[in-house]
Amino acid sequence: MKQSSGWGGKLQYGFMLAAMALSAPMAWAQSADPAPWQLNMGKGVTHTARMAWEAHMVALWVCVVIGVLVFGAMFYAMFKFRRSKGAVAKQFSHNTKAEIVWTVIPIIILVVMAWPATAKLIAMYDTRESEMTVKVTGYQWMWKYEYLGENVAFTSRLDRKSDEVRQSGAVPTMATDPNYLLDVDNPLVLPVDTKVRFVITSDDVIHAWWVPALGWKQDAVPGFINERWTNIEEVGVYRGQCAELCGKDHGFMPIVVKAVSKEDFKTWLASRKPAPAAAPEAVAEPAPAAEQAPQPEAVPAAQASTGA
């Protein structure tokens, strides 16, 4: 592409920079679902997601500062000491002090960044004081959810409408199918403001349970149990997908989490529990032989005929 020159090109470049500067603050406060032209990762709806966002922002601004200093020094040297101004190239020898400085400073930066990141990572795996536990099992190609201790379990797979559209060959659009391949028949229902512990495994191959709004993803490995936790702060519907290539239908294995109030969750959980078995009817036992009324003795037929 031919690059614009003159005042037109400068104005175009200036407008582009202004648009980026104006759109950046809007991208800092994203909703749980990604938005068109989103420039930054979303904050999510959990404490875990917010910790990941904060660690990301710290690393981003450190990189910005380093980039400004390095490229600023580079461009300054290029324009200040250019040949057209009479600059002459010189030979440099090793400088021990300079080498120590540019080795120690990056180490200090990495330690400063690693300290809070490590603390956040440890907190992401701390499942203590959980109020409920959900077991997640990956199958080809669906998920099974079990509410441990509640006698409630069900499978969750791609909804029928998305499955029909993908097999029909029709081209879906945002207007007709806004959640194409991201809807399921049975979403995972969770209460808000509740620390939920997840135990995640697989029955066949390696899967990965991932909902971006929750701020983490975890591999589901056959024969192993991995733990994570979440505490959703906002009522809503949050979508995700399997994040591990698990076979031919990997792209048709969505995840939907429906966060509801604690009261609504109790009502929903009660409706999913199996009905209690009916108590067997009581059967009257026969009275003991001692309490039965005495029966008259039978009279022999010969005595009855003679009147004896």
Side-chain angles (χ1 to χ4, degrees):
M1 182 187 299
K2 186 176 180 180
Q3 203 169 22
S4 301
S5 59
W7 285 104
K10 294 179 180 179
L11 286 174
Q12 184 180 4
Y13 184 70
F15 286 138
M16 183 181 69
L17 291 179
M20 293 176 61
L22 291 174
S23 60
M26 296 173 61
W28 295 344
Q30 294 293 341
S31 61
D33 291 334
W37 297 98
Q38 181 172 330
L39 298 179
N40 199 3
M41 66 181 293
K43 290 185 178 181
V45 292
T46 67
H47 179 65
T48 306
R50 222 168 27 252
M51 288 193 297
W53 183 85
E54 291 169 356
H56 158 75
M57 293 306 298
V58 169
L60 174 64
W61 287 117
V62 168
C63 292
V64 168
V65 172
I66 293 174
V68 169
L69 293 177
V70 171
F71 284 100
M74 183 179 69
F75 285 118
Y76 174 80
M78 290 169 59
F79 286 97
K80 179 69 174 177
F81 305 104
R82 60 185 186 272
R83 181 176 295 181
S84 61
K85 298 188 72 172
V88 179
K90 294 184 179 180
Q91 295 293 332
F92 290 91
S93 60
H94 291 284
N95 188 313
T96 304
K97 292 182 180 180
E99 292 179 352
I100 292 175
V101 169
W102 67 52
T103 301
V104 171
I105 291 179
I107 292 176
I108 295 175
I109 293 174
L110 290 175
V111 171
V112 171
M113 294 174 62
W115 187 271
T118 303
K120 294 179 188 299
L121 189 62
I122 293 173
M124 288 181 180
Y125 285 90
D126 186 4
T127 60
R128 295 174 297 179
E129 301 180 0
S130 299
E131 300 175 56
M132 60 178 290
T133 301
V134 176
K135 181 181 178 182
V136 180
T137 306
Y139 294 88
Q140 290 180 316
W141 286 268
M142 62 183 178
W143 300 98
K144 182 179 180 181
Y145 301 118
E146 299 176 64
Y147 296 77
L148 300 187
E150 299 292 347
N151 196 24
V152 174
F154 57 86
T155 58
S156 178
R157 66 181 72 209
L158 183 68
D159 72 316
R160 187 178 296 275
K161 182 181 179 182
S162 291
D163 203 27
E164 291 175 351
V165 171
R166 80 177 179 92
Q167 295 187 40
S168 68
V171 179
T173 63
M174 288 296 295
T176 59
D177 301 285
N179 295 313
Y180 175 62
L181 298 183
L182 291 175
D183 268 334
V184 296
D185 53 359
N186 293 311
L188 175 64
V189 180
L190 296 175
V192 297
D193 301 324
T194 304
K195 186 171 183 177
V196 182
R197 170 175 168 254
F198 289 88
V199 288
I200 303 174
T201 187
S202 173
D203 185 70
D204 37 45
V205 299
I206 298 178
H207 302 276
W209 201 83
W210 177 45
V211 179
L214 303 188
W216 52 268
K217 66 178 178 180
Q218 182 63 62
D219 282 347
V221 183
F224 291 86
I225 298 291
N226 291 321
E227 287 187 309
R228 296 302 287 263
W229 67 272
T230 193
N231 189 340
I232 303 175
E233 300 169 346
E234 300 178 15
V235 173
V237 177
Y238 310 108
R239 307 177 192 277
Q241 292 175 298
C242 176
E244 187 72 35
L245 187 59
C246 57
K248 71 179 185 66
D249 281 352
H250 161 71
F252 313 117
M253 197 174 171
I255 303 165
V256 177
V257 176
K258 184 179 180 181
V260 299
S261 64
K262 292 185 177 182
E263 293 75 16
D264 291 343
F265 176 75
K266 291 179 181 178
T267 303
W268 175 86
L269 191 63
S271 68
R272 295 303 298 255
K273 290 185 178 181
E281 296 182 1
V283 180
E285 298 181 358
E291 298 180 3
Q292 294 181 357
Q295 302 293 330
E297 296 181 359
V299 179
Q303 293 183 4
S305 61
T306 58

